Amino acid sequence: MSELLVGMVITPLISAFLLSLTAVSHRVPHTVMMRIRNTFSVLALTALVIQLLLLAPRVLSGEVVTYTLGGWTPFMGIALRLDALSFMVAAVSVVVSFLGMVYSFSYMEHIRGLGKYDAFYFLMVAGIMGVLLTRDIFNMYVFFEILSISVYILITTGEKKENYRASLKYLILGSVSSAFFLFAVGITYAITGSLNMDHIAQVMPAIMEEDPFPVYIIFSLILGSMGVKSGLVPLHFWLPDAHSMAPSPVSALLSGIVLKISIYGLLRLSFLFGDSFLASDSVLMIVGVVTVVVGSVLALVQKDLKRMLAYSSISQVGLIMTGLGIGTDLAVQGALFHVVNHALMKSGLFLCAGVIIHQSRSREISRISGVSPGMALCFVILSLGIVGVPPLNGFSSKLVILYGAVEAHYTSVAGVIVLASVLSCGYYFRVVQSVLTPRKWKRTYNPPVPWTMSFPVYFLTAVCVFLGVFPLLGLSVAELAILVGGG
Amino acid sequence: MSLHLVNGITIGIVLFLIGVFGCMTQRNLIKIVLCLDIMFLGLILFFVGLGYTEGGTAPILGGYSVYVDPLPQTLMLTTVVVELSVTSLALALAIRVYEQYKTLDIEEVRT
């Protein structure tokens, strides 16, 4: 059974290389090739879903599934591990990447070299699964690099000049942050003599007692590195460019999943230093609150729809970081639930924005017109979810974070979060108003929306409403994740 | 005190910091890519320095008492590959940026 863990990394990796074969020049007609490619991608992602479902009952009963590669002892070799924390993030990632793939069947049709796009898409999924499953910190670095390099390439698939600029900016900052991470890995190896997370966690308390200085350096390097990758405020300036310039399905993956993977990395690595290391100092909380405020204020002044969504992502990541920084069980539980919720809502919004831009042929918020009623409804529901209106999932996770903040006597933090929610009303309702207002000028030809583009949006909206009506489902998984993931 | 200050670890860290400094201050794209290289080379030297033991040999076959820790070196083989792909991708992107904007100065690559 635990061999499935290898399968979860290998399946997207093999698919990536097989799909890259479809990019070489061949005599097969274009339409046939496209059908082969689509069928193959759906099959590969279905296999991934089935593997996750097979493991789900064991993981959700609180068990930890471990597999050691090549049968080496965990101290020497690389171990893969799936617990409730990684399962939660992995499940959301697989669902969103599946929907993103379905969406790009028609959205990316006009892009040259579609085989290249598919190959790097699957390479990115392989990187995501690798980061989530591995128990070896150097291996984590390698999977982060696989993930980042495929993301840099995916951003350029639009082939406009802004794409190259955004990708290069992201590449330089991403490489510097990866180097910081590698440096932290080196220092960890020097002081603990191991790269395995279980072993490091065992040795760490003794080292902390003897001389905490190198541990602080390691943690600052990790925080800096993951801060760049997840767009915390002084380090966020690459994010709006990269997320708004990428094609819509890639934006959805970037904002929904890739940011969360960095948050997962930070959380997972913080467990090495003890149970509530993130909260032992209020730095993360303060940075989180600043991120919430700056992200919201900058989102207010944006004219471009996707750029506005990108800034809103910054603010929501800040909210999650605040929850992690407060550090009480309740706040962390809320933050983890918000990781899931934001991944679903924001990828839904980006996919929806892709349809809206397709229909109104403009990215400017004030020029949006001719949106079909179904899409408008989805956009309104998802926006209300992000703002945090009661029957939706964003409300329950925000409420739990707020409750955690008040319980830990950070009332001012709770106040700032509420203020940021009010600000988010401001920038989302501007779009909602623009979507719902009938335009005076003549309706030109309204481009049809293929079902592959509308289905993912409807599905994500339905999941958001479902999680909003039954929030205890998500909250109990998050509770289990804290309980099991900490060990 | 000359015995332990000049070694792989210290020189590696200094090179790494020079690389980071260069990435932040340079304006030419090619120079920034070179600084990324310097940064990673410093890290490689740092890692190899971690495994070094004075007078050690490579632990391939038996018949040795003092040996060099081989793990950092194997890790660095992976890092070299990763760094190679990052550098080549960065240079490819720099070529595209130059084609589109007719300049390599990042201050002028706006809008």
Side-chain angles (χ1 to χ4, degrees):
Chain A
M1 196 73 165
S2 57
E3 289 82 5
L4 287 176
L5 294 186
V6 189
M8 280 163 65
V9 183
I10 293 289
T11 315
L13 203 57
I14 289 182
S15 333
F17 290 110
L18 288 179
L19 279 169
S20 70
L21 291 180
T22 63
V24 295
S25 54
H26 47 69
R27 293 233 178 85
V28 188
H30 180 67
T31 44
V32 177
M33 205 54 176
M34 205 168 71
R35 207 161 287 160
I36 293 174
R37 205 184 282 136
N38 291 357
T39 319
F40 188 78
S41 353
V42 168
L43 282 180
L45 284 164
T46 315
L48 211 52
V49 172
I50 290 173
Q51 283 165 351
L52 264 179
L53 283 179
L54 283 177
L55 285 167
R58 285 179 68 184
V59 173
L60 290 182
S61 63
E63 203 178 331
V64 174
V65 186
T66 317
Y67 182 80
T68 47
L69 289 174
W72 292 89
T73 54
F75 175 59
M76 299 279 287
I78 294 170
L80 298 178
R81 191 178 107 163
L82 186 74
D83 54 25
L85 176 58
S86 37
F87 177 80
M88 195 177 76
V89 185
V92 180
S93 318
V94 170
V95 168
V96 173
S97 44
F98 202 142
L99 295 173
M101 195 73 223
V102 172
Y103 188 88
S104 35
F105 286 162
S106 44
Y107 186 86
M108 301 297 287
E109 210 172 349
H110 55 283
I111 296 279
R112 274 193 299 127
L114 199 55
K116 190 184 77 173
Y117 171 81
D118 288 355
F120 285 111
Y121 194 93
F122 272 96
L123 210 53
M124 176 175 72
V125 176
I128 290 171
M129 299 314 287
V131 173
L132 291 175
L133 293 178
T134 186
R135 283 301 279 173
D136 180 285
I137 48 175
F138 186 78
N139 204 12
M140 195 183 224
Y141 157 76
V142 173
F143 278 120
F144 258 123
E145 282 296 89
I146 293 178
L147 169 62
S148 321
I149 290 175
S150 21
V151 166
Y152 307 146
I153 297 171
L154 283 176
I155 293 173
T156 63
T157 43
E159 303 199 335
K160 294 196 203 78
K161 59 181 189 176
E162 291 88 3
N163 289 79
Y164 297 118
R165 188 174 58 105
S167 175
L168 195 61
K169 201 177 189 180
Y170 187 13
L171 188 145
I172 292 165
L173 279 159
S175 304
V176 173
S177 79
S178 295
F180 275 34
F181 189 75
L182 187 58
F183 195 30
V185 170
I187 303 174
T188 314
Y189 181 69
I191 63 170
T192 62
S194 171
L195 291 169
N196 185 281
M197 287 189 198
D198 296 318
H199 190 254
I200 294 171
Q202 276 173 18
V203 184
M204 206 50 106
I207 294 168
M208 287 271 269
E209 228 158 71
E210 196 181 312
D211 180 16
F213 184 63
V215 181
Y216 292 154
I217 292 184
I218 293 172
F219 190 71
S220 336
L221 285 169
I222 289 175
L223 184 59
S225 155
M226 294 301 152
V228 173
K229 281 184 198 292
S230 60
L232 286 183
V233 140
L235 313 164
H236 68 284
F237 44 90
W238 59 269
L239 193 147
D241 273 347
H243 286 204
S244 63
M245 286 309 157
S248 286
V250 180
S251 302
L253 258 288
L254 277 176
S255 260
I257 304 301
V258 178
L259 290 182
K260 307 305 177 307
I261 297 297
S262 325
I263 294 171
Y264 166 86
L266 181 65
L267 188 62
R268 174 63 85 197
L269 292 170
S270 78
F271 287 143
L272 298 181
F273 308 102
D275 264 348
S276 57
F277 190 81
L278 278 177
S280 55
D281 200 287
S282 49
V283 172
L284 190 66
M285 190 184 73
I286 295 167
V287 171
V289 170
V290 172
T291 308
V292 170
V293 174
V294 173
S296 307
V297 171
L298 285 176
L300 269 179
V301 297
Q302 299 304 320
K303 292 197 180 72
D304 182 321
L305 176 57
K306 281 176 80 177
R307 246 184 130 72
M308 189 280 278
L309 290 177
Y311 276 108
S312 153
S313 280
I314 295 178
S315 131
Q316 300 295 318
V317 164
L319 182 59
I320 294 168
M321 288 295 186
T322 313
L324 296 181
I326 290 168
T328 54
D329 269 2
L330 204 60
V332 176
Q333 193 185 343
L336 285 178
F337 190 34
H338 201 64
V339 165
V340 175
N341 289 341
H342 182 244
L344 294 170
M345 291 186 292
K346 192 46 72 69
S347 35
L349 276 173
F350 263 114
L351 295 180
C352 198
V355 180
I356 291 177
I357 291 169
H358 174 74
Q359 284 179 330
S360 57
R361 265 162 290 166
S362 168
R363 297 167 59 109
E364 273 181 51
I365 294 175
S366 52
R367 295 178 59 84
I368 290 171
S369 62
V371 183
S372 56
M375 278 303 133
L377 180 69
C378 285
F379 194 90
V380 172
I381 292 177
L382 291 167
S383 318
L384 288 177
I386 291 241
V387 170
V389 173
L392 293 161
N393 57 354
F395 165 72
S396 35
S397 47
K398 261 189 191 178
L399 183 72
V400 176
I401 296 177
L402 277 180
Y403 192 68
V406 173
E407 198 189 49
H409 304 295
Y410 292 119
T411 355
S412 48
V413 172
V416 173
I417 293 174
V418 172
L419 185 75
S421 295
V422 175
L423 281 180
S424 68
C425 286
Y427 50 84
Y428 276 108
F429 289 175
R430 206 154 49 101
V431 186
V432 168
Q433 184 200 19
S434 196
V435 166
L436 295 182
T437 315
R439 292 291 165 198
K440 292 287 189 300
W441 54 72
K442 271 179 229 144
R443 270 288 184 77
T444 45
Y445 165 67
N446 226 351
V449 182
W451 72 270
T452 48
M453 276 167 81
S454 51
F455 168 72
V457 181
Y458 292 138
F459 186 85
L460 283 168
T461 314
V463 173
C464 286
V465 174
F466 178 76
L467 270 181
V469 179
F470 304 104
L472 283 177
L473 275 177
L475 280 172
S476 55
V477 176
E479 197 178 357
L480 189 69
I482 303 168
L483 212 69
V484 181
Chain B
M1 275 308 287
S2 68
L3 67 165
H4 287 313
L5 265 180
V6 180
N7 55 20
I9 296 178
T10 47
I11 294 178
I13 292 176
V14 169
L15 275 179
F16 171 71
L17 294 176
I18 289 174
V20 175
F21 178 74
C23 280
M24 291 181 208
T25 51
Q26 290 300 320
R27 291 175 54 176
N28 188 311
L29 275 176
I30 303 293
K31 285 186 185 168
I32 291 178
V33 176
L34 284 178
C35 287
L36 283 179
D37 267 1
I38 293 173
M39 198 170 70
F40 275 100
L41 288 176
L43 279 175
I44 290 170
L45 193 58
F46 170 70
F47 263 84
V48 174
L50 285 180
Y52 178 73
T53 342
E54 191 128 16
T57 51
I60 297 172
L61 288 171
Y64 47 80
S65 53
V66 184
Y67 61 89
V68 174
D69 184 1
L71 185 64
Q73 301 180 6
T74 49
L75 298 184
M76 282 311 104
L77 283 179
T78 318
T79 309
V80 168
V81 177
V82 169
E83 192 240 328
L84 173 77
S85 42
V86 169
T87 310
S88 45
L89 181 62
L91 289 175
L93 284 175
I95 292 172
R96 287 298 174 88
V97 167
Y98 183 74
E99 279 172 1
Q100 305 277 349
Y101 291 88
K102 302 294 173 213
T103 174
L104 280 173
D105 191 329
I106 49 165
E107 299 283 318
E108 287 170 32
V109 183
R110 288 271 161 84
T111 62

